[in-house]
Amino acid sequence: MVQMTPRTVEKCSPSQRLLLRLLRSMLRSMVTVAKVTLVCLNLWVLAVVLVVSLGHWRVFDSNSPDVRYDNSHLIVSRGLKDTDRRLPLTNSNLSSVIMPIAPGPAEKASGVQSAALKDQHAPSAPEHLEKEARALDPADTRVTNLRQWCKQQHPHKTPFDQVSKSKLTSILVDERHKLLFCQLPGVALNDWRKILLILSGVVNTTSTGSISGGDVYGKYATKAKRLSEYDDKKRAEMLTSYYKVVFVREPLERLYNAFRVKLNAKSSKYFHKAFGSQIIRKYRKNPKEKDIKDGSSVTFAEFTKYILDNEREGVVSLNEHWQQYYKQCHPCLVDYDFVGTYEDVEKDTDHVLEKVKAKNLLKPPYVWDSKPLSQKDITNAYSQLNPQDLNNLYKVYSADYTLFGYECPEFLHTLLKKGNVFHDY
């Protein structure tokens, strides 16, 4: 570059001198901008180094087990399966982990293992927690599991005197022994209604076998007292001081049993007319008029499509024989003291009677029909379903699996894998 001396500049015309001053000004501005930019860049690099070194910004994803989930997930997201092995906790206290429920004798025999939130991909819990869980009675663990989930989903519990009576219509009352029993069709309900008739002194007998099923829903139907029939103050008092019991059954087994008894059985005329006819009309291609009128030839696949559509549309509640447990017994409103199972119904019934000091009033067997369905029959029934429908059906009942500590059935995993459907629940 040729350096311009003052004499040379003086020889330039006014316009040339103006241009020279402008070029000098621009050059000085560019140098200044470059210097400022370099300083800012250095400061930014220094800040990044400091933040990363102090651990406040994870540049790369971490598999650290310290990462916690919040409460925004739905209860139906059972197990919270996560491929990066993160621990699905909402509290850093490891004592809040719900351990798997040890299977009882009947569960081992039927292949149903009562496990709370069991996930083979999740990290193992500390050894001392495992020992504590094994020392617990399965029924105690079920109650712990139930209350833990309810506390997580409903941290602000509704006071008993504010619980609507419409939520308590399924709970039967025995005032003599201060017992509340939530009735669920398909879970030894007929025998338990007989037990309550005996405990309440309505029937003078020591054997449930001496009371006919027809009398339970006919002659003695009006003798069953429901919690919803009492005033607000009395309901709150009972929910506080009475022994509260619910019995449950493996949800998909109960669903198939309801289909067998209410829609597949030739003698179930009411359900054929009330449900069978409309199901056939809606889900069967070119149905015969005779089949629609009779309503007794519903297939299991048609029945489950009806349930899925009913839940998807959300207009009408499901019938109590196949409605979810949590929608009938409202376990997060009623603090149940005992959760019995159909798989161990005789032993669990004996426990309840002992707890309310009524064992002397009845002689075993308490329940006359407690034989579980064969796994072969259940698998054959559910194998008729479209794999995607099967996956969605499980989601309908997944809250019951979570709340009451049932493990997702093995046949479901097998059928979904065979159908190439990813099971993320």
Side-chain angles (χ1 to χ4, degrees):
M1 176 181 286
V2 179
Q3 189 173 0
M4 302 290 289
T5 64
R7 183 172 293 181
T8 306
V9 173
E10 288 178 2
K11 292 181 179 180
C12 295
S13 64
S15 61
Q16 289 176 329
R17 287 199 294 271
L18 181 62
L19 179 61
L20 286 172
R21 284 197 295 272
L22 182 60
L23 289 173
R24 285 175 186 158
S25 177
M26 290 177 61
L27 182 61
R28 284 196 295 269
S29 297
M30 291 175 63
V31 172
T32 302
V33 170
K35 288 180 179 179
V36 172
T37 302
L38 185 59
V39 171
C40 291
L41 181 62
N42 287 334
L43 290 175
W44 183 82
V45 171
L46 179 61
V48 169
V49 171
L50 288 174
V51 171
V52 172
S53 63
L54 291 174
H56 294 298
W57 180 21
R58 297 182 184 275
V59 178
F60 302 102
D61 191 19
S62 169
N63 286 336
S64 169
D66 293 331
V67 178
R68 298 289 185 253
Y69 288 92
D70 60 18
N71 284 337
S72 61
H73 60 276
L74 298 176
I75 197 168
V76 294
S77 58
R78 178 177 180 267
L80 299 176
K81 299 190 184 298
D82 191 70
T83 55
D84 65 2
R85 300 173 70 86
R86 293 176 182 174
L87 202 60
L89 297 179
T90 58
N91 191 307
S92 58
N93 185 357
L94 282 175
S95 64
S96 66
V97 178
I98 300 300
M99 300 301 298
I101 298 173
E107 291 166 321
K108 292 177 181 177
S110 65
V112 178
Q113 181 183 1
S114 297
L117 310 181
K118 180 181 179 183
D119 185 357
Q120 61 182 357
H121 302 297
S124 299
E127 184 177 351
H128 72 280
L129 288 179
E130 292 182 355
K131 290 181 179 179
E132 290 176 7
R134 286 195 293 269
L136 287 174
D137 182 270
D140 293 333
T141 311
R142 283 191 292 270
V143 172
T144 303
N145 175 70
L146 179 60
R147 292 185 178 178
Q148 179 68 22
W149 272 101
C150 286
K151 183 178 180 181
Q152 177 170 310
Q153 298 302 316
H154 301 276
H156 305 293
K157 179 161 177 59
T158 304
F160 286 144
D161 59 356
Q162 295 179 22
V163 176
S164 170
K165 65 179 182 180
S166 65
K167 306 293 185 183
L168 306 173
T169 56
S170 294
I171 298 180
L172 302 179
V173 180
D174 170 24
E175 292 188 42
R176 281 190 173 186
H177 300 89
K178 295 188 174 182
L179 173 65
L180 299 180
F181 176 84
C182 188
Q183 57 176 357
L184 288 168
V187 192
L189 177 55
N190 288 350
D191 287 298
W192 253 100
R193 287 185 67 116
K194 295 175 184 178
I195 290 172
L196 290 172
L197 288 173
I198 296 172
L199 295 185
S200 300
V202 175
V203 181
N204 185 21
T205 182
T206 58
S207 172
T208 56
S210 63
I211 306 174
S212 70
D215 284 346
V216 170
Y217 296 98
K219 182 178 179 181
Y220 303 118
T222 59
K223 301 297 183 180
K225 295 184 178 180
R226 297 175 184 262
L227 186 56
S228 56
E229 297 172 8
Y230 296 83
D231 60 43
D232 295 351
K233 183 179 179 180
K234 187 63 176 178
R235 289 200 309 272
E237 178 187 323
M238 289 177 169
L239 286 169
T240 302
S241 60
Y242 279 30
Y243 191 62
K244 300 171 287 293
V245 174
V246 59
F247 273 70
V248 292
R249 181 179 187 174
E250 207 287 331
L252 289 184
E253 177 183 321
R254 172 186 179 248
L255 179 64
Y256 176 58
N257 184 67
F259 167 76
R260 289 173 59 251
V261 175
K262 299 303 177 184
L263 288 168
N264 196 235
K266 298 299 181 184
S267 59
S268 191
K269 301 298 183 184
Y270 166 78
F271 282 87
H272 295 161
K273 297 294 183 184
F275 299 97
S277 295
Q278 60 171 302
I279 290 174
I280 292 173
R281 180 183 290 109
K282 184 174 182 179
Y283 297 101
R284 187 171 300 178
K285 291 183 179 180
N286 302 318
K288 297 179 180 178
E289 195 60 37
K290 178 180 178 299
D291 291 337
I292 295 176
K293 184 177 179 180
D294 188 51
S296 63
S297 62
V298 176
T299 67
F300 190 55
E302 292 169 340
F303 173 63
T304 54
K305 282 185 179 296
Y306 158 75
I307 290 178
L308 289 173
D309 284 351
N310 192 288
E311 284 294 277
R312 189 181 298 113
E313 295 163 3
V315 178
V316 182
S317 297
L318 293 174
N319 180 267
E320 61 181 0
H321 288 83
W322 44 81
Q323 189 180 40
Q324 301 93 324
Y325 300 146
Y326 77 92
K327 290 185 178 180
Q328 297 187 64
C329 292
H330 303 282
C332 293
L333 293 176
V334 180
D335 290 331
Y336 288 100
D337 301 295
F338 184 79
V339 177
T341 66
Y342 185 83
E343 292 77 27
D344 275 325
V345 66
E346 195 72 15
K347 175 176 72 68
D348 288 348
T349 299
D350 188 78
H351 172 87
V352 174
L353 294 176
E354 183 175 6
K355 202 73 177 178
V356 298
K357 297 179 172 52
K359 281 192 67 173
N360 62 311
L361 298 180
L362 288 106
K363 294 180 180 179
Y366 310 117
V367 177
W368 292 83
D369 183 15
S370 60
K371 184 179 179 181
L373 303 179
S374 75
Q375 290 299 300
K376 181 180 179 180
D377 289 345
I378 295 174
T379 303
N380 288 340
Y382 283 100
S383 64
Q384 302 170 24
L385 308 187
N386 174 287
Q388 192 59 58
D389 285 347
L390 177 57
N391 193 35
N392 290 334
L393 187 67
Y394 175 76
K395 292 178 182 180
V396 170
Y397 296 95
S398 61
D400 285 344
Y401 276 94
T402 296
L403 286 167
F404 296 102
Y406 278 102
E407 188 179 57
C408 180
E410 187 61 35
F411 75 81
L412 186 136
H413 288 293
T414 302
L415 292 176
L416 292 183
K417 184 177 180 181
K418 186 177 179 181
N420 200 29
V421 172
F422 180 70
H423 179 58
D424 57 352
Y425 265 63

